[in-house]
Amino acid sequence: MTGSWRMNRIGAALRGENPTVLRRLESGFAVIGDVQFLPGYSVLLADEPGVQRLSDLPKAKRLSFLSDMDHLGEAVERACRRLDPDFRRVNLEILGNTDPFLHAHVWPRFEWEPAELVGKPVWLYPRDRWSDERFKLGSQHDVLRDAIGSELDRLRSMA
């Protein structure tokens, strides 16, 4: 995956040019992560490019974003549980320390993770996990993308 869409992920999603978009949700976009060293890693992007933090949104939009984060987390959980018997749980995070736009990380966690890392924040994984070509998002993740998208559709139809 190459392209300038990475420079403005939200704008590219709004224009239909962000290839990581799984689904359009009420408050933003569910996207699959650029790296997949924990298969199923996804992100919820707010659909307002100028919004930097949750508190920048009006209360109703905040609640919508948090609800979408919950739905994405549940979709990742269901898909990962179905695809990997060693699935443990999902971690949800709104950090905002690096990227200057509102987004939430959805990290699946697995029993096969190294013992010294499985109970700790994902951010403690070695830096090479973030740049190693083996973990780069690609066509090998199509089944995972489809599974998460299908779960999002199923959850939406139940609401």
Side-chain angles (χ1 to χ4, degrees):
M1 254 183 269
T2 60
S4 61
W5 63 268
R6 284 189 172 102
M7 301 303 290
N8 182 356
R9 292 172 186 270
I10 296 169
L14 289 166
R15 293 187 305 274
E17 299 169 0
N18 182 332
T20 64
V21 171
L22 297 166
R23 295 292 185 276
R24 175 70 157 103
L25 303 178
E26 187 175 327
S27 69
F29 299 91
V31 302
I32 193 163
D34 294 359
V35 295
Q36 292 291 308
F37 61 87
L38 293 173
Y41 166 54
S42 299
V43 179
L44 174 63
L45 301 175
D47 60 7
E48 297 184 35
V51 171
Q52 294 187 9
R53 43 188 100 52
L54 190 61
S55 60
D56 289 344
L57 295 173
K59 188 68 157 187
K61 189 82 176 199
R62 282 185 217 176
L63 295 175
S64 177
F65 185 84
L66 293 172
S67 178
D68 283 349
M69 183 175 73
D70 170 60
H71 284 125
L72 180 55
E74 187 171 350
V76 168
E77 179 175 332
R78 288 177 177 208
C80 289
R81 179 177 284 129
R82 189 171 69 238
L83 296 172
D84 189 333
D86 287 331
F87 171 78
R88 283 184 86 207
R89 69 180 67 248
V90 164
N91 294 155
L92 304 171
E93 301 175 317
I94 299 175
L95 300 172
N97 298 324
T98 303
D99 294 318
F101 51 86
L102 177 60
H103 62 287
H105 300 272
V106 178
W107 288 104
R109 304 302 300 263
F110 302 91
E111 294 296 338
W112 48 256
E113 291 180 63
E116 67 276 8
L117 293 171
V118 71
K120 296 186 176 159
V122 171
W123 309 104
L124 296 179
Y125 266 86
R127 292 290 354 140
D128 69 334
R129 296 290 177 111
W130 305 87
S131 57
D132 190 318
E133 287 295 317
R134 293 179 300 155
F135 304 119
K136 188 176 182 178
L137 180 64
S139 60
Q140 70 273 26
H141 300 105
D142 287 350
V143 169
L144 189 55
R145 289 175 71 116
D146 291 345
I148 296 169
S150 294
E151 291 297 343
L152 283 168
D153 295 342
R154 191 170 296 122
L155 289 167
R156 187 178 305 162
S157 72
M158 292 169 44

